[in-house]
Amino acid sequence: MTSISYALLPLLALVTSVVANPLFVPPPLHVSLSRRAVNEHASVERFAAHADRLRAKYGWPISNATLSKRQGKVVGVDVIDQGQDSSYIGTVQIGTPAQTFKVVLDTGSSDLWVPATNCFSCGQTPPFDTSSSSSIQQINGANGNAQTVRIRYGSGQVAGILVSDTVSMAGFNINPQNFLLVQQMSDGLLSGDVSGIMGLAFKALASTNAVPFWEALINNGEFSSPEIAFWLARHIDDRNPPDEQSGGVLTLGGTNSTLFTGDIEFIPLSNAAAPTFWMLTMTGATVQGKSVSIPSGDAALSAIDTGTTLIGGPTSAVTAIYNAIPGAIPVPSMQGFWQFPCSTDVQVSFAFGGKSWPVSAADMNLGPISSTMCVGGVFDLTQGSDVSGGGGNPTWVVGDTFLKNVYSVFRANPPAVGFAELSNAAGGSSAQPPLSISSVVTSSAVSVSSSAVSVDPTPFSTATGRTSASSPRTGTPTSIPGAPTITVGIDPLPSGSGTGSGTVSSSGTGTAQQNAALTAFSAPSIAPLIAVAISILTAVASSAALLA
């Protein structure tokens, strides 16, 4: 009995030591809270939606059946700038298992298409290997045969068959998603390793009659808000840039508050009753601080188009803009384009019913065409055609030359386009280089899914005196499809430009290299716990020895 008591003495000593020297407990962490600013003009109906979400959370019946869907997400996607602002590219995954492709992000069209492995004249364009996908389905017509679709552009055309398969972007997934599997493509339609186009306009414009990917996500309740938003980075004035580099952020399902400042000015679509293009009415233009005369009403309809490099407008308006720039004259070798003295900082701004939004002088200057003259970023779209009758088609195509200068938001319901001033993180309203993508999209303001992109720079070609891997282009048709399987359009500039020549890549699949976003955190020190464990083991060993 005495030996057992002595054996317990080390344990008693350990308990006494622990009581006398308690473990270090870190001080509480204090987090500052701030009250979120409320838009005084916001609808009070938002509180009803909040109440229904709370009811759903705690198992009570909700008043609005549409809120029974899971809460949507807001996700940021890295954008690739190709050819010094010529194209803005995203990545999409198609098939099972997924094959990854680069596609032009185009709010000026509505169809998704990629080439097949048997595509004729697709050159180096990476194709979709249908034999490797277990989920692809051919869409047949009433006669049981494949449905063929042809989409025409000013610089060429694509043709193929309708199929459906799983399509994913940034963690969002639509299955099945109908799209065009291209079997014929005009030479030079795309540049580099870009495989196709993802149309981000409305279903009514789709030649395939397919619900566009972004609209399907909204219909399924995947988005937190029925919006997509763009920050497009500027690299047009970079020296010796790579063919592809970080080009901004596409936000799916909402906006990224780190990329803009102030309020977003939402302007209802001119065609809101039956939307096709993202169409606004241009209400004003200024040059060097003075207003210039532009057409009004239906003759001022403007498609807001991320898939177009420049700004195209009616003949009279474009002439008025350049007549206000001292020394500006037409470019004889480039129909519809104008040139001005390179020493002139051209200050142009446009309005669509509210604020006037300035365009950077860097974006207005496409580069020198001679030792003293430079080509302007606004061109004649209509080539003298009569636009007074309107007809419902856009007479302006407002592309990246403008959109690089604003944060743009495309809202499905109610249909509108919004503009806001860029934040300092996104380069601001000046032409200063923006921050790197990684320093922006990791903000807590938005959830981000990014893809690593391997860039293989190709030799530059010369366009308007400036080195660039691809010429300006537009994917926007200038007329609404007259038949469900064909879009007839005239693009004043190519939809995508490059050599397009060469052999078809032997690899039909892209490599989906996903970057895991790791969040570092600080944990309390475990040294005291280790010390206690050692002490306990020592005590137990001593007790065992005495008991033995």
Side-chain angles (χ1 to χ4, degrees):
M1 180 70 89
T2 303
S3 63
I4 294 176
S5 300
Y6 280 116
L8 294 177
L9 286 177
L11 286 176
L12 180 62
L14 172 63
V15 172
T16 304
S17 174
V18 171
V19 172
N21 300 282
L23 293 176
F24 170 75
V25 178
L29 176 65
H30 299 279
V31 179
S32 299
L33 300 179
S34 59
R35 183 175 182 271
R36 179 165 49 176
V38 176
N39 184 351
E40 62 180 3
H41 301 296
S43 171
V44 294
E45 293 175 354
R46 70 187 189 277
F47 296 112
H50 173 75
D52 266 339
R53 292 190 183 97
L54 201 62
R55 293 183 185 109
K57 178 179 178 181
Y58 291 100
W60 295 105
I62 63 175
S63 60
N64 186 347
T66 61
L67 294 178
S68 63
K69 297 178 180 179
R70 66 179 178 82
Q71 185 176 1
K73 297 185 293 184
V74 184
V75 179
V77 182
D78 285 358
V79 173
I80 304 166
D81 184 329
Q82 184 188 60
Q84 284 187 281
D85 310 350
S86 291
S87 300
Y88 289 90
I89 310 300
T91 55
V92 64
Q93 289 75 43
I94 303 176
T96 306
Q99 302 172 40
T100 300
F101 303 96
K102 295 179 183 177
V103 290
V104 177
L105 301 170
D106 183 16
T107 60
S109 68
S110 299
D111 294 297
L112 170 64
W113 59 265
V114 292
T117 51
N118 63 345
C119 178
F120 179 74
S121 190
C122 280
Q124 300 176 21
T125 305
F128 176 42
D129 184 1
T130 56
S131 65
S132 297
S133 177
S134 62
S135 50
I136 191 168
Q137 296 290 327
Q138 180 176 296
I139 301 175
N140 295 327
N143 59 3
N145 297 325
Q147 296 188 54
T148 59
V149 176
R150 185 178 301 274
I151 305 175
R152 291 191 176 96
Y153 301 92
S155 57
Q157 58 184 307
V158 293
I161 61 172
L162 284 179
V163 297
S164 69
D165 207 336
T166 299
V167 174
S168 303
M169 174 181 275
F172 291 110
N173 178 74
I174 294 295
N175 182 25
Q177 171 69 54
N178 294 358
F179 60 95
L180 182 64
L181 184 63
V182 170
Q183 297 171 325
Q184 299 178 30
M185 182 171 69
S186 297
D187 184 46
L189 194 59
L190 295 175
S191 177
D193 59 352
V194 175
S195 291
I197 291 177
M198 172 173 274
L200 298 172
F202 294 89
K203 178 182 182 294
L205 192 64
S207 298
T208 56
N209 276 338
V211 177
F213 179 76
W214 72 276
E215 272 195 294
L217 292 173
I218 292 175
N219 294 342
N220 291 351
E222 299 284 336
F223 284 176
S224 177
S225 180
E227 299 170 336
I228 57 176
F230 282 90
W231 160 50
L232 301 179
R234 175 186 297 107
H235 293 291
I236 191 171
D237 49 354
D238 289 0
R239 293 191 176 187
N240 301 319
D243 179 36
E244 294 182 352
Q245 56 192 314
S246 60
V249 176
L250 162 63
T251 302
L252 299 172
T255 59
N256 185 331
S257 61
T258 68
L259 299 176
F260 67 93
T261 182
D263 295 330
I264 299 173
E265 179 189 55
F266 279 103
I267 307 148
L269 296 191
S270 304
N271 58 347
T276 52
F277 299 105
W278 294 96
M279 192 109 75
L280 303 180
T281 300
M282 187 176 293
T283 57
T286 64
V287 180
Q288 310 300 77
K290 297 181 180 180
S291 296
V292 296
S293 177
I294 63 171
S296 60
D298 286 348
L301 294 177
S302 307
I304 311 302
D305 183 6
T306 59
T308 291
T309 308
L310 307 176
I311 301 173
T315 302
S316 62
V318 173
T319 300
I321 287 172
Y322 286 106
N323 282 344
I325 302 173
I329 57 174
V331 180
S333 60
M334 298 172 62
Q335 189 174 9
F337 283 82
W338 288 65
Q339 57 188 317
F340 56 84
C342 294
S343 58
T344 302
D345 277 342
V346 177
Q347 305 295 329
V348 175
S349 63
F350 297 98
F352 301 91
K355 298 178 182 178
S356 183
W357 300 95
V359 175
S360 166
D363 293 318
M364 275 299 297
N365 187 336
L366 300 182
I369 195 170
S370 69
S371 59
T372 59
M373 301 294 284
C374 288
V375 177
V378 177
F379 69 95
D380 183 353
L381 176 69
T382 62
Q383 294 289 288
S385 300
D386 181 13
V387 298
S388 59
N393 291 328
T395 58
W396 288 90
V397 178
V398 181
D400 304 331
T401 290
F402 173 83
L403 293 172
K404 285 179 286 182
N405 295 273
V406 294
Y407 188 71
S408 55
V409 185
F410 298 81
R411 188 179 68 192
N413 186 29
V417 174
F419 299 126
E421 183 180 347
L422 293 173
S423 67
N424 289 334
S429 59
S430 67
Q432 297 301 315
L435 298 177
S436 65
I437 294 295
S438 60
S439 67
V440 176
V441 300
T442 54
S443 165
S444 60
V446 62
S447 172
V448 178
S449 173
S450 61
S451 299
V453 177
S454 177
V455 177
D456 182 16
T458 56
F460 295 152
S461 62
T462 301
T464 66
R466 177 172 58 86
T467 57
S468 172
S470 60
S471 301
R473 42 97 209 125
T474 173
T476 303
T478 57
S479 63
I480 297 173
T485 60
I486 190 165
T487 295
V488 179
I490 300 175
D491 287 345
L493 296 177
S495 300
S497 180
T499 62
S501 60
T503 59
V504 177
S505 171
S506 59
S507 173
T509 62
T511 302
Q513 298 173 328
Q514 299 297 333
N515 285 342
L518 302 179
T519 304
F521 64 96
S522 177
S525 173
I526 62 172
L529 299 178
I530 295 174
V532 170
I534 293 174
S535 299
I536 291 174
L537 290 173
T538 303
V540 171
S542 300
S543 299
L546 290 173
L547 289 172

